[in-house]
């Protein structure tokens, strides 16, 4: 196991009706805030009314910035930064999914600097301060509700890039599983694929003697696999949503990464796909992950065998470990199909004609490698994308 430091400062407020507490919690930080949300689901569900009533009751004033799109755009972030500076706002409240939360985090970093927040996404400098961010989560998926990450798409060049900083951990996140009842089945599936991917990115590591976190990761994967059919069949199954929502947060709050080094190549490759084609992140991961696995399988066959046996209940065959591992990958593909996701680029409506471009962008023109489990150069990324065709 590697040395590590672990602290996740996000206060989690979990359960039925918890959005009623948002005003009280926000007022601890500021009574003059930016209320940030997406394309209208929170108005259709009645959540907007409940959140604003709670803010009013706590004496919190707000300015609204709606219209965050999935794969959130830099241009709206710039608008939010202007509003925060102009009105001297003291907190950004994100009500929505990973896209709204990531956009809020970008605004939080950009509102306290003179320069361009996009520089951070290009790796030019790191934030030293940020406004506080808080969230009311409406979809278990990205894990942004208690992560250090923000992923933004710059429409100029369609580059999708991430920043990680301890400064943008949300101060608190309200997790009410009831808020997921209104999700369309496709978004449910994308969220599930993303959560599974956050677990698998961490699972495939070169660090040895990480048995404790191996088991935690396996248990979390099994929880997601076990509960997914329930929420897809019965969208208002509170108990199943509660399991998925909490597991989804734990999957990405870095507890399960303690003492190990995750891979993250599949995420980097997927960000090129959703950056260029604007597909849902989870749908892209369902295509990339199985292909990545087939490409790196031989690097540590034992780890794949362990995963297949423990997570997918594949029968052990000591004489043919490769077959065991391949059955595990096949079961993952079957799982994605069972929740309504495709596992080939063509399922996303993507032909192979821009594979070279994606591989080139992902590796900055073959000047950097992706991943830690196996380091991938441009050629390897190209190969994985062709495997996904
Ligand atoms: O915009 P609205 O109308 O709210 O609709 C959204 C959106 O269309 C809808 N939705 C959300 N909650 C709903 C709902 N519809 C009905 N009822 C509800 N309760 O769902 C759609 C997708 O929302 P989005 O926020 O885009 O989903 P998700 O949470 O999957 O976020 C995806 C983004 O997060 C990034 C991804 O790259 C992607 O841009 N990620 C962020 C990470 C982080 N910050 O740590 C890590 C992840 O790996 C990921 O990269
Ligand atoms: Zn993800």
């Amino acid at each position: 196991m590697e040395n590590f430091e672990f602290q996740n400062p996000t206060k989690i407020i979990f359960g039925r009706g918890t959005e009623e507490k948002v005003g009280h919690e926000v007022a601890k930080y500021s009574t003059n805030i930016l209320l940030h949300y997406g394309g209208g689901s929170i108005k259709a569900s009645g959540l907007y009314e409940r959140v604003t009533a709670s803010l009013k009751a706590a004496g919190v004033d707000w300015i609204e910035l709606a219209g965050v799109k999935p794969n959130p755009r830099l241009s709206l972030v710039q608008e939010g930064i202007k509003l925060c500076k102009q009105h001297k706002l003291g907190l950004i409240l994100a009500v929505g999914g990973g896209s709204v939360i990531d956009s809020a985090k970008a605004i939080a970093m950009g509102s306290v600097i003179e320069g361009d927040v996009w520089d951070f996404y290009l790796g030019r400098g790191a934030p030293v301060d940020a406004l506080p961010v808080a969230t009311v989560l409406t979809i278990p998926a990205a894990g942004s509700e208690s992560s250090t990450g923000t992923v933004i798409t710059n429409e100029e060049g369609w580059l999708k890039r991430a920043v990680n900083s301890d400064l943008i951990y949300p101060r608190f996140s309200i997790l009410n599983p009831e808020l997921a009842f209104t999700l369309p089945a496709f978004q449910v599936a994308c969220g599930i694929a993303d959560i599974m991917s956050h677990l698998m990115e961490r699972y495939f590591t070169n660090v040895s003697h990480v048995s404790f976190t191996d088991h935690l990761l396996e248990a979390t994967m099994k929880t997601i696999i076990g509960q997914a059919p329930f929420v897809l069949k019965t969208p208002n199954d509170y108990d199943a949503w509660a399991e998925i929502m909490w597991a989804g947060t734990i999957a990405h709050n870095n507890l399960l990464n303690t003492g190990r080094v995750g891979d993250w190549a599949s995420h980097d490759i997927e960000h090129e796909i959703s950056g260029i084609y604007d597909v849902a992140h989870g749908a892209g991961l369902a295509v990339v992950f199985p292909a990545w696995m087939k490409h790196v399988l031989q690097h540590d066959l034992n780890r794949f065998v362990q995963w297949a046996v423990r997570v997918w209940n594949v029968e052990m065959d000591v004489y043919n470990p490769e077959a065991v591992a391949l059955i595990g990958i096949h079961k993952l593909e079957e799982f994605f199909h069972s929740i309504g996701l495709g596992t080939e680029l063509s399922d996303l409506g993507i032909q192979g004609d821009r594979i070279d471009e994606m591989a080139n962008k992902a590796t900055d023109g073959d000047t950097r490698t992706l991943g830690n489990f196996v380091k991938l150069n441009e050629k390897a990324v190209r190969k994985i994308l062709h495997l996904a065709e």
Side-chain angles (χ1 to χ4, degrees):
M1 198 190 292
E2 301 273 309
N3 289 0
F4 68 87
E5 292 182 11
F6 174 70
Q7 181 180 25
N8 189 302
T10 304
K11 174 178 176 180
I12 301 293
I13 303 170
F14 191 97
R16 293 183 200 270
T18 43
E19 66 273 19
E20 311 283 341
K21 297 185 178 176
V22 68
H24 173 74
E25 292 296 327
V26 164
K28 292 178 184 171
Y29 296 94
S30 174
T31 51
N32 191 27
I33 69 159
L34 185 74
L35 174 59
H36 200 32
Y37 56 95
S41 75
I42 70 161
K43 289 212 167 157
S45 67
L47 177 61
Y48 173 87
E49 289 302 324
R50 298 201 296 284
V51 166
T52 51
S54 173
L55 293 175
K56 257 186 222 156
V60 175
D61 288 329
W62 69 91
I63 285 180
E64 288 188 21
L65 182 61
V68 179
K69 294 192 172 124
N71 302 318
R73 311 292 203 261
L74 183 62
S75 55
L76 196 75
V77 166
Q78 306 288 20
E79 267 186 58
I81 292 170
K82 255 191 224 152
L83 287 173
C84 285
K85 285 183 174 173
Q86 193 183 342
H87 299 277
K88 299 195 169 35
L89 304 178
L91 176 143
I92 301 141
L93 177 63
V95 183
S99 295
V100 177
I101 301 170
D102 285 4
S103 181
K105 289 173 171 177
I107 295 169
M109 295 187 296
S111 296
V112 295
I113 55 166
E114 289 304 317
D116 186 356
V117 73
W118 183 249
D119 283 343
F120 296 144
Y121 291 83
L122 293 177
R124 295 182 194 141
V128 291
D129 195 9
L131 288 181
V133 171
T135 88
V136 178
L137 183 68
T138 61
I139 169 172
S144 187
E145 66 275 10
S146 76
S147 82
T148 54
T150 155
V151 192
I152 296 293
T153 298
N154 187 340
E155 300 96 314
E156 279 175 34
W158 295 102
L159 266 193
K160 188 174 180 182
R161 290 291 179 265
V163 170
N164 280 284
S165 166
D166 286 355
L167 296 166
I168 52 175
Y169 272 119
R171 300 303 166 96
F172 68 86
S173 283
I174 292 186
L175 273 58
N176 175 359
E178 292 170 315
L179 301 181
F181 292 176
T182 53
L183 280 167
F186 175 69
Q187 292 299 340
V188 174
C190 290
I192 285 166
D194 196 14
I195 297 169
M196 281 298 287
S197 300
H198 295 161
L199 297 162
M200 296 186 297
E201 295 280 20
R202 291 175 167 93
Y203 194 80
F204 291 97
T205 183
N206 293 324
V207 181
S208 58
H209 304 291
V210 284
S211 167
F212 173 55
T213 42
D214 271 0
H215 283 297
L216 293 178
L217 286 159
E218 289 154 5
T220 317
M221 284 186 248
K222 287 177 88 112
T223 300
I224 298 297
I225 296 161
Q227 300 297 324
F230 293 112
V231 294
L232 282 162
K233 188 161 173 250
T234 315
N236 62 354
D237 184 336
Y238 179 87
D239 296 321
W241 272 123
E243 304 274 6
I244 289 179
M245 196 172 249
W246 187 221
T249 298
I250 294 295
H252 204 47
N253 82 346
N254 269 337
L255 173 68
L256 304 187
N257 208 43
T258 44
R260 48 202 300 145
V261 177
D263 184 67
W264 300 102
S266 299
H267 263 71
D268 283 344
I269 297 172
E270 194 294 315
H271 286 165
E272 294 312 324
I273 298 177
S274 51
I276 291 181
Y277 295 99
D278 203 16
V279 300
H281 172 61
L285 286 167
V287 168
V288 174
F289 234 110
W292 173 84
M293 286 180 161
K294 288 170 199 162
H295 181 75
V296 303
L297 182 65
Q298 294 300 339
H299 173 70
D300 187 351
L301 198 51
N302 288 342
R303 183 148 278 279
F304 275 93
V305 168
Q306 175 180 299
W307 173 75
V309 170
R310 292 191 189 166
V311 176
W312 298 103
N313 303 319
V314 179
E315 202 177 322
M316 185 58 186
D317 179 353
V318 285
Y319 299 107
N320 199 351
E322 186 175 348
V324 174
L326 285 170
I327 296 171
I329 298 171
H330 184 61
K331 291 215 173 223
L332 174 68
E333 289 174 319
E334 277 182 346
F335 173 68
F336 286 146
H337 296 157
S338 76
I339 61 173
L341 295 178
T343 49
E344 292 176 1
L345 282 172
S346 57
D347 296 319
L348 302 173
I350 297 173
Q351 310 309 319
D353 52 327
R354 292 178 79 178
I355 283 180
D356 288 355
E357 178 189 345
M358 286 191 276
N360 187 269
K361 274 170 105 175
T363 56
D364 288 338
D366 212 15
T367 60
R368 66 169 189 140
T369 56
L370 307 187
N372 295 305
F373 185 62
V374 174
K375 294 202 182 299
L376 307 173
N377 61 14
E378 182 180 351
K379 191 174 159 207
V381 174
R382 214 165 33 229
K383 203 168 156 210
I384 288 169
L385 286 167
H386 280 299
L387 275 174
E389 269 186 294

